[in-house]
Amino acid sequence: LTQPELPLHRFLERRRAYYPGVELVVDAELSRQTDPYLDDHVVHKERLLPAVLGLEGMAQIAMALTGSRTPPSFEHVELTRPIAVSEKGTTTIRLAALRRGPGLVEVCLRSEVTDYHVDHFRALCRFEPAAGKAVSLPRHSPSEALRLPLEPERDLYGRILFHRGRFRRLQGYRLLRAKECIAEIGPDDATPWFGAYLPTEFLLGNPAARDAALHAIQACIPHRRLLPTGIDQLVIHRIESGPRVVWARERSREGNSFIYDLQVTNPGGELIEKWDGLRLRAVEELPPPESWPPALLGPYLERRLEELVPGSSLAVGVESRPSLKRSAGSVAAQRRALGRIEHIFRRPDGKPMTLKHESLSAAHTRNLTLAVAGAGVVACDVEEVAARSETVWGGLLGSDRHKLAERISRERPEDLNTAATRLWNALECMKKAGLS
């Protein structure tokens, strides 16, 4: 019997086995010439097949097997091993799809690198319509359109984010904390993804926007490289090419593993995609910058506190707008730490509080304001490191503490002014916390 022809899609290049409606196996050859996007996705000099292109390939084979014109949702996605593509030659990948039940297809993606014996990616594709509702983003600033003073092209791409070219879609952040972010993603462009004479259609929409929604979370953990390892469920409600907004929140963390939930909307708040249980793993430390952008400094400090004191619930906010007066800067930084607009009042002893009885503390130096929020007693301080004579430091710290600063400077790779300022910060925090 004559088997039906497969649709013309990029990853359905060469049919290996086909039992219509039951099973389909196809191969596709990847190279820098046929897949130029690989040059934009290089980690440690290796060109890796992006996970979002793996999802596109899974959708293509699952839809070809079922004859569906509607993209599936993805369940139990496992991204167990990246696929590195040869720099000079070709690398063949193999997609296999097997129907597991009505509207349910199991798909795996393998590679010649492992002799097709290992599932690099695998998932269940479910063909059932899902309703998408409008999403209300949290109120986090007086203006919903206000961006943080963080420029992804300058502050993220090239150092924290390895992505190049067509994958650089982050436009800015409305909210950025250690465990939550709201980021803006730019619209699709006309950059070609495949070589000449190859099919160009994406069944799941432009993958760069989906990848940007994923790597927007990296700014929440700016000192460690994150790579995706799986997704519990990904539902694509609509295919759009315009700008979008991603709202990501951490559900849990265990060691180097993080789980986030994401909602992606268009500017009108209509739901485009919903990710439940995106699993990320921190795979390496990133080199620290010469100076942290203030918008990244808050998440960085919060993460470091969590690593130093496991289970810490302290939230950190940093504000650096020169136009703000001291009191307004305190309120802005404290609201950043809280992650929402909240009425802040002062107790009779002058300590700031919220109506939910959250404790707050703020400190200033020049145009920088540091704030912390949490349960119980919290305190923070920030001081500029300045050169002072031993006599001045002795007067500020006292004789015994001055000797302690000298010991710190000997035991750590820092000069006396830095060590003394560090100690001064600690003492100021102790005073604010009411400790002896």
Side-chain angles (χ1 to χ4, degrees), residues 76-88:
H76 306 296
V77 179
E78 299 291 340
L79 308 171
T80 56
R81 182 169 179 165
I83 295 176
V85 178
S86 171
E87 180 179 0
K88 298 181 179 179

Side-chain angles (χ1 to χ4, degrees), residues 237-256:
H237 294 275
R238 59 179 68 214
I239 307 296
E240 293 189 3
S241 59
R244 53 190 69 186
V245 179
V246 57
W247 177 20
R249 290 173 292 177
E250 183 181 302
R251 184 198 299 176
S252 64
R253 175 191 180 178
E254 185 175 343
N256 292 328

Side-chain angles (χ1 to χ4, degrees), residues 1-5 20:
L1 296 176
T2 302
Q3 293 182 334
E5 291 294 326

Side-chain angles (χ1 to χ4, degrees), residues 230-383:
I231 313 167
D232 291 343
Q233 184 182 56
L234 167 59
V235 181
I236 299 172
H237 294 275
R238 59 179 68 214
I239 307 296
E240 293 189 3
S241 59
R244 53 190 69 186
V245 179
V246 57
W247 177 20
R249 290 173 292 177
E250 183 181 302
R251 184 198 299 176
S252 64
R253 175 191 180 178
E254 185 175 343
N256 292 328
S257 298
F258 304 80
I259 298 180
Y260 272 78
D261 295 325
L262 284 73
Q263 295 182 77
V264 183
T265 70
N266 58 24
E270 295 175 299
L271 191 60
I272 295 176
E273 297 180 8
K274 190 170 185 291
W275 303 49
D276 291 322
L278 167 64
R279 300 191 297 281
L280 301 164
R281 184 166 183 81
V283 294
E284 64 176 326
E285 293 281 341
L286 293 171
E290 292 185 5
S291 62
W292 284 98
L296 286 179
L297 183 56
Y300 168 71
L301 291 175
E302 194 170 324
R303 289 294 182 185
R304 294 292 289 133
L305 284 168
E306 189 178 41
E307 291 170 5
L308 290 168
V309 185
S312 168
S313 59
L314 203 66
V316 181
V318 177
E319 184 59 65
S320 64
R321 283 179 284 174
S323 60
L324 291 180
K325 294 182 179 179
R326 191 181 182 96
S327 59
S330 291
V331 171
Q334 288 165 354
R335 285 176 172 173
R336 262 196 217 297
L338 292 169
R340 65 184 188 276
I341 294 178
E342 185 73 41
H343 177 65
I344 297 171
F345 64 95
R346 291 190 177 274
R347 300 186 323 197
D349 60 3
K351 292 186 180 296
M353 293 286 291
T354 70
L355 295 174
K356 296 182 179 180
H357 301 289
E358 293 158 305
S359 296
L360 300 165
S361 180
H364 309 266
T365 182
R366 291 200 180 189
N367 295 325
L368 186 72
T369 302
L370 172 69
V372 294
V377 178
V378 301
C380 70
D381 191 51
V382 57
E383 300 288 349

Side-chain angles (χ1 to χ4, degrees), residues 128-149:
E128 291 179 359
K133 298 180 180 179
V135 176
S136 297
L137 298 179
R139 293 186 68 225
H140 51 277
S141 69
S143 169
E144 289 295 320
L146 181 65
R147 284 186 185 176
L148 299 181

Side-chain angles (χ1 to χ4, degrees), residues 95-147:
L95 284 156
L98 180 66
R99 185 189 288 270
R100 288 297 188 186
L104 187 63
V105 177
E106 183 178 1
V107 182
C108 68
L109 192 157
R110 298 181 175 183
S111 165
E112 68 169 313
V113 176
T114 53
D115 200 24
Y116 310 111
H117 289 158
V118 175
D119 291 343
H120 291 255
F121 303 162
R122 71 179 305 118
L124 291 176
C125 294
R126 189 176 296 279
F127 292 89
E128 291 179 359
K133 298 180 180 179
V135 176
S136 297
L137 298 179
R139 293 186 68 225
H140 51 277
S141 69
S143 169
E144 289 295 320
L146 181 65
R147 284 186 185 176

